[in-house]
Amino acid sequence: MSGIYIHIPFCKQACNYCDFYFSTSLQNKEFLVKNILSEIDQRINYLPDKQIHTIYFGGGTPSLLSEKETFLILEKVYKLYKVSNDAEITLECNPDDLNEEKLKELKRLEINRLSIGLQSFDEEELKWMNRAHTARESESSIKRSQDRGFENITIDLIYGSKFSNLANWKKTLDKTIALKVPHISSYNLTIEDKTKLGHDFKVKKEVAIDDEKSSELFLEMIDRLEKNDFIHYEISNFGKEGFFSRHNSNYWKGEHYLGLGPSAHSFDGKSRQWNVANNNLYIKQVSENNQAFFEKEILTEKERFNEYILTSLRTIWGINLDYLKTNFNAEFVKVFQEQIAEYIRQDTVVVKNKTYTLTEKGKLLADKIASELFV
Ligand SMILES: C[S@@+](CC[C@H](N)C(=O)[O-])C[C@H]1O[C@@H](n2cnc3c(N)ncnc32)[C@H](O)[C@@H]1O
Ligand code: SF4
């Protein structure tokens, strides 16, 4: 179940919280796409299996690409790989880009899943985030996409800023449900060092909300969304039956993927590779056919084990004992079984059919439990 990720490192403006790699200068866009095409050629042997089930344009803001630019990338992928007929093809979009013309273009390109970054329905909060759209534009972009025939839509929300409280979060969730989208990714705001928010936090111009309050918002979200037929299939992801993100589910299940473009990561089962997070350097090194545009790390057994624990524990598929026994040494498995027994006693983990998953209480402590289970 291999996938291809393409990172489009451009944004109209910088959101105050975001530390993904992007540039607000669009000057090199066309040239960068040319180099992504070249990277596709250079890395043709990365995935031994040429069958591709998912393609994901992420960013940055992929909806800033012109039709021709997106087409050229897809054309090349289709030429060099066997893309399955029912492949999931996602493109991340910012609401302000989704006018009628853009939507027609995305249909022509046969993009069949839109990931739209709404983040919030509160005008003041959107301004504080430095988003390029209003709440009204967010809502209308969803309606327009649905009217244009896009059924498989996911939206991104962020909760836990200083604007969040239980009352307005309930309203946000109700508005989200009323949009009738089949998938929601909802992230607890992280204050990242190298962002405006990180800076303002450091100089005490901004504060973080406490963990207790964000746990309350998280539990409210699970409750409301589950009551409305959403399945909480990963800590930050909710989908209706048949609408889970196939691309991201494959990451969490340890499937292989090729990541193209600046800052993109790749995984082939044994090693991880990450491209340089700098547009100019990427262009220079790829155009010189110089392998220095990426770094590579062969994963040790310990690293593979820890990654499996971290990603699996966050999903409804959980940690499977047979998988551990087949893929890791007996000592790691023995220590895991001893440790996990304590979490079962504390009612943060349950075990069924040799598979360990988090209880609701456990979901509040997901990262802590995973790190305690690391070898
Ligand atoms: C890198 S963005 C790309 C999507 C698109 N550019 C957009 O902004 O809608 C992917 C998602 O990550 C989430 N995100 C980014 N930085 C975050 C942070 N510091 N805390 C929580 N969520 C964050 C946002 O919800 C965002 O939509
Ligand atoms: S959240 Fe999206 S639009 Fe905002 S800076 Fe990050 S990638 Fe760009």
Side-chain angles (χ1 to χ4, degrees):
M1 288 292 267
S2 302
I4 293 186
Y5 173 83
I6 306 117
H7 190 81
I8 307 301
F10 300 104
C11 292
K12 270 186 207 158
Q13 56 195 58
C15 302
N16 77 346
Y17 51 80
C18 183
D19 83 337
F20 283 77
Y21 179 65
F22 64 89
S23 159
T24 50
S25 156
L26 306 193
Q27 259 173 352
N28 277 337
K29 188 157 68 78
E30 205 185 317
F31 203 42
L32 192 115
V33 169
K34 263 196 194 148
N35 283 278
I36 289 179
L37 299 179
S38 174
E39 188 189 352
I40 300 177
D41 281 325
Q42 290 177 36
R43 296 185 65 198
I44 189 61
N45 293 322
Y46 186 79
L47 294 174
D49 178 9
K50 294 289 171 282
Q51 185 76 45
I52 295 296
H53 299 90
T54 62
I55 300 175
Y56 194 105
F57 289 88
T61 312
S63 50
L64 287 177
L65 289 181
S66 68
E67 179 168 8
K68 186 170 169 216
E69 288 163 344
T70 314
F71 175 80
L72 288 173
I73 297 172
L74 283 171
E75 183 190 45
K76 185 117 201 158
V77 169
Y78 276 86
K79 205 165 130 194
L80 298 182
Y81 291 88
K82 284 189 228 109
V83 180
S84 46
N85 289 335
D86 67 341
E88 176 189 270
I89 306 171
T90 308
L91 190 126
E92 286 181 350
C93 313
N94 283 27
D96 40 302
D97 292 329
L98 287 179
N99 55 34
E100 288 289 348
E101 197 39 55
K102 189 73 190 179
L103 287 163
K104 279 189 208 162
E105 187 184 302
L106 297 174
K107 271 277 161 203
R108 284 194 294 266
L109 291 162
E110 298 183 11
I111 301 293
N112 55 28
R113 184 169 183 268
L114 300 183
S115 170
I116 308 177
L118 300 196
Q119 321 305 354
S120 162
F121 293 107
D122 178 338
E123 296 298 356
E124 222 190 312
E125 186 175 25
L126 286 171
K127 275 204 197 113
W128 174 80
M129 289 175 165
N130 198 35
R131 295 290 294 174
H133 56 94
T134 61
R136 191 179 296 176
E137 275 176 304
S138 304
E139 286 180 64
S140 63
S141 73
I142 303 289
K143 175 88 178 55
R144 246 191 326 276
S145 307
Q146 289 165 330
D147 289 346
R148 274 277 148 217
F150 286 97
E151 186 195 2
N152 197 350
I153 298 176
T154 176
I155 63 163
D156 284 351
L157 291 177
I158 294 183
Y159 65 94
S161 80
K162 65 180 179 191
F163 293 84
S164 289
N165 60 50
L166 192 57
N168 64 20
W169 184 230
K170 282 180 182 173
K171 281 192 199 142
T172 296
L173 292 168
D174 289 344
K175 268 196 172 172
T176 304
I177 292 160
L179 291 174
K180 300 213 172 312
V181 291
H183 189 281
I184 297 157
S185 298
S186 182
Y187 305 103
N188 193 355
L189 177 67
T190 316
I191 300 179
E192 304 283 0
D193 276 353
K194 291 184 193 121
T195 60
K196 176 169 189 308
L197 178 60
H199 172 265
D200 290 351
F201 177 72
K202 218 187 299 166
V203 299
K204 302 201 166 33
K205 248 173 84 183
E206 291 288 347
V207 287
I209 72 162
D210 59 55
D211 287 353
E212 210 176 301
K213 203 163 154 199
S214 83
S215 297
E216 188 181 34
L217 302 173
F218 179 67
L219 292 177
E220 180 64 28
M221 166 168 75
I222 298 175
D223 184 53
R224 286 213 169 203
L225 296 182
E226 284 187 341
K227 278 189 182 129
N228 284 276
D229 304 325
F230 283 95
I231 302 163
H232 190 199
Y233 72 105
E234 197 270 346
I235 286 288
S236 306
N237 287 277
F238 298 82
K240 296 230 166 139
E241 190 77 58
F243 287 95
F244 294 1
S245 163
R246 280 164 55 198
H247 186 82
N248 291 334
S249 299
N250 285 342
Y251 285 161
W252 303 321
K253 289 177 180 175
E255 302 285 351
H256 303 177
Y257 55 90
L258 168 70
L260 303 159
S263 83
H265 287 225
S266 305
F267 178 63
D268 64 1
K270 293 181 239 62
S271 65
R272 290 208 173 273
Q273 236 172 269
W274 56 99
N275 287 355
V276 57
N278 179 308
N279 286 355
N280 291 333
L281 260 182
Y282 172 84
I283 289 173
K284 182 173 182 293
Q285 292 170 340
V286 173
S287 56
E288 286 169 357
N289 208 338
N290 171 352
Q291 299 266 302
F293 70 86
F294 63 79
E295 283 184 66
K296 183 174 175 173
E297 176 189 47
I298 309 278
L299 297 175
T300 61
E301 185 180 1
K302 192 169 139 185
E303 285 163 339
R304 281 194 299 108
F305 179 88
N306 292 346
E307 281 199 7
Y308 175 74
I309 297 292
L310 182 67
T311 46
S312 309
L313 193 63
R314 292 169 62 94
T315 70
I316 48 166
W317 302 292
I319 299 172
N320 181 270
L321 190 59
D322 289 336
Y323 183 90
L324 290 183
K325 286 182 177 164
T326 315
N327 290 281
F328 301 105
N329 73 63
E331 184 55 27
F332 285 8
V333 181
K334 186 169 153 264
V335 173
F336 169 81
Q337 283 183 290
E338 284 162 10
Q339 282 184 309
I340 203 80
E342 180 54 26
Y343 296 103
I344 295 171
R345 261 196 298 282
Q346 290 170 4
D347 189 30
T348 48
V349 170
V350 280
V351 58
K352 203 176 158 193
N353 300 330
K354 298 194 209 166
T355 301
Y356 300 87
T357 52
L358 294 170
T359 61
E360 191 141 295
K361 194 170 144 194
K363 285 177 182 176
L364 292 169
L365 303 165
D367 290 343
K368 182 173 178 286
I369 297 175
S371 65
E372 287 167 4
L373 290 168
F374 286 172
V375 288

